[in-house]
Amino acid sequence: LCPAPRRTSPLPHLPRGAMDDPDDTDLGLAGLSPEFQAMIGGIEGHTAHFVKLIERRTQLSKEAAKKKDDEVYLESYGELDIHEDMLKDRPRVEAYQKAIEFHGPAWKSKGDVSVVDVGAGTGLLSVFCARAGASKVHAVEASRLAYFCKQIAEANAPTGSIEVHEVRAEELDLGADQKVDVIVSEWMGYFLLFENMLPSVLSVRDRYLKPGGLMLPSRCRLHLAPLQDGAWRDAKLDFWRSVSGIDMSALVPLATATACEKPQHRLVPVDGLIGPAMEILNLDLHTAKESDLRRFQADLRFDVPPGGRLDGFASWFDCDFGEAPDKLSTAPTAEPTHWRQTAFYFRQPIEGGGGITIEGTVSVEIHEAFSRGYRVTFDLQAPGRKSRLESFELR
């Protein structure tokens, strides 16, 4: 029940039928019985209380959903197979190892260098840091692997150099006056940001990194390039047109909706990139804020060559490690990693005809229902063509 708003003007004397005519007069509640006015006031108070209750429950529901997302996320990293994939990723491991070894001599020269490894997992990066010259490494791991991380540290690093903290990064407590020289973390997910682990790293940075301290990685860039990939479209969509001589074309719309609802994590063909890469995000890890990750947008402009076709976009990222010369790249032209590339395939491709220029935007924002996912939306225009809006769930 939504009560009428209170008004204070007096109720005028109206001839019969006058209420049927438009009238701007403020009728209000004056002139009604005190009992009736009290009842309306009570309803207003009850309604306001109910609205506050709904708002509180909505907030609690969001917090409960995020807590559940976090629990599932941490449980997944308690399984060994995901760590096996990462440890077998040679470009990933070597990029971190070379970067840490590059900075090691400066750490030894300075002496008493302390490091926080956020999301330490098996302890690989912690051991690299301890061996390179860090005097103290705080390995932060919230999953059940913390138990094994302690054993691995004891077996591979100088005694007492690694301390394992079995807590979430946000709950890490090193003491009010404690500061560290370096924060290292392998927080990157598909499309760089998936899993939304970076805010945890930033929470540690904001509380414990010394002024002028080092972040590893120090800068990350997210790239996007227009893609033509007929092989994927043939294999995943057109396949359904005829299966063993049976017409299954009725399933093509379902296959298209299913395959194009979410991005595909795969190795895209280098020769399928029909335009140069466009940088859509550049993060300086020393200054980046959590708000930078909630939503961002980038302009797009590229050409589809004559006879070409835009099937969608391929994305990848690369990372710097301070002054270290070696970078980590997940580009199609680089050695494959477990991240591969993230491809966004349109439900209906855009034909290039005699060649067209496409302009528009890509918007990236935290997923409305899954706190560790994202929604990616492309809004594109081309001369003489209808506008194209394509949205994908990264979850």
Side-chain angles (χ1 to χ4, degrees):
L1 175 64
C2 295
R6 287 190 184 274
R7 297 187 176 116
T8 58
S9 58
L11 182 66
H13 174 71
L14 296 175
R16 188 180 299 275
M19 289 296 289
D20 297 330
D21 299 325
D23 187 357
D24 294 331
T25 304
D26 189 354
L27 302 181
L29 296 178
L32 299 178
S33 70
E35 293 80 6
F36 187 80
Q37 293 189 48
M39 181 186 73
I40 293 298
I43 292 174
E44 285 183 331
H46 177 76
T47 301
H49 175 74
F50 183 71
V51 168
K52 290 182 179 179
L53 181 61
I54 293 296
E55 291 176 348
R56 190 180 307 126
R57 288 185 176 177
T58 300
Q59 183 62 34
L60 289 174
S61 297
K62 290 180 179 179
E63 292 174 356
K66 185 181 185 305
K67 183 178 180 181
K68 183 63 177 177
D69 293 341
D70 292 345
E71 290 174 353
V72 172
Y73 170 73
L74 292 174
E75 286 175 5
S76 71
Y77 277 90
E79 303 298 326
L80 203 56
D81 55 351
I82 192 170
H83 294 277
E84 181 180 350
D85 288 341
M86 292 189 291
L87 294 175
K88 288 181 176 178
D89 184 339
R90 191 172 68 85
R92 167 191 176 271
V93 171
E94 288 189 357
Y96 275 90
Q97 184 174 19
K98 289 179 179 179
I100 291 169
E101 291 176 349
F102 173 85
H103 291 285
W107 297 352
K108 291 179 180 178
S109 176
K110 180 180 179 181
D112 197 27
V113 168
S114 56
V115 178
V116 174
D117 178 6
V118 182
T122 58
L124 180 76
L125 302 186
S126 295
V127 172
F128 284 166
C129 289
R131 286 181 170 181
S135 57
K136 185 68 174 182
V137 181
H138 298 277
V140 184
E141 177 54 44
S143 80
R144 64 180 180 178
L145 250 68
Y147 172 79
F148 300 98
C149 184
K150 294 175 184 177
Q151 299 179 54
I152 293 169
E154 291 171 358
N156 293 278
T159 301
S161 60
I162 298 177
E163 180 180 353
V164 178
H165 302 260
E166 191 174 353
V167 296
R168 296 174 70 249
E170 293 81 356
E171 299 165 356
L172 177 65
D173 185 3
L174 300 180
D177 299 327
Q178 180 71 37
K179 298 292 182 180
V180 300
D181 302 278
V182 182
I183 294 177
V184 63
S185 179
E186 196 278 78
W187 53 265
M188 300 83 73
Y190 296 126
F191 193 64
L192 181 62
L193 299 176
F194 180 63
E195 293 182 342
N196 202 25
M197 180 181 167
L198 182 53
S200 299
V201 180
L202 300 184
S203 74
V204 175
R205 179 204 66 187
D206 293 344
R207 288 179 291 147
Y208 294 117
L209 185 64
K210 293 178 181 178
L214 178 64
M215 297 288 293
L216 297 177
S218 56
R219 184 178 293 275
C220 296
R221 292 166 291 268
L222 181 60
H223 305 277
L224 196 71
L227 176 67
Q228 179 173 332
D229 193 352
W232 180 87
R233 194 167 291 276
D234 289 342
K236 300 298 291 184
L237 307 182
D238 292 339
F239 160 79
W240 293 100
R241 298 189 185 281
S242 178
V243 181
S244 299
I246 298 174
D247 182 356
M248 293 191 180
S249 56
L251 291 173
V252 171
L254 177 60
T256 302
T258 302
C260 299
E261 177 187 16
K262 298 178 181 179
Q264 307 291 318
H265 308 298
R266 61 190 301 269
L267 297 175
V268 302
V270 176
D271 59 4
L273 303 178
I274 58 175
M278 296 166 281
E279 184 181 282
I280 64 172
L281 182 66
N282 189 318
L283 290 173
D284 180 346
L285 276 301
H286 296 91
T287 59
K289 303 183 294 294
E290 184 176 354
S291 58
D292 298 332
L293 314 175
R294 295 191 191 118
R295 190 183 191 281
F296 60 91
Q297 180 175 293
D299 293 330
L300 304 176
R301 191 179 191 278
F302 56 93
D303 296 325
V304 178
R309 184 184 70 204
L310 180 67
D311 283 316
F313 291 92
S315 68
W316 62 88
F317 63 87
D318 57 54
C319 302
D320 297 338
F321 294 87
E323 298 300 321
D326 294 290
K327 303 179 187 297
L328 171 63
S329 175
T330 66
T333 53
E335 183 177 348
T337 69
H338 78 283
W339 288 285
R340 303 183 288 280
Q341 291 86 46
T342 299
F344 301 86
Y345 290 102
F346 293 173
R347 292 155 180 80
Q348 184 67 35
I350 299 177
E351 299 293 341
I356 57 172
T357 297
I358 297 179
E359 297 181 332
T361 60
V362 56
S363 301
V364 182
E365 57 189 336
I366 290 285
H367 194 276
E368 61 274 12
F370 178 52
S371 62
R372 291 190 175 270
Y374 281 83
R375 182 175 292 278
V376 182
T377 302
F378 298 91
D379 188 357
L380 305 175
Q381 298 84 37
R385 310 290 181 91
K386 289 184 177 180
S387 297
R388 179 67 67 87
L389 191 68
E390 299 272 351
S391 185
F392 300 84
E393 290 187 288
L394 191 59
R395 58 175 300 174

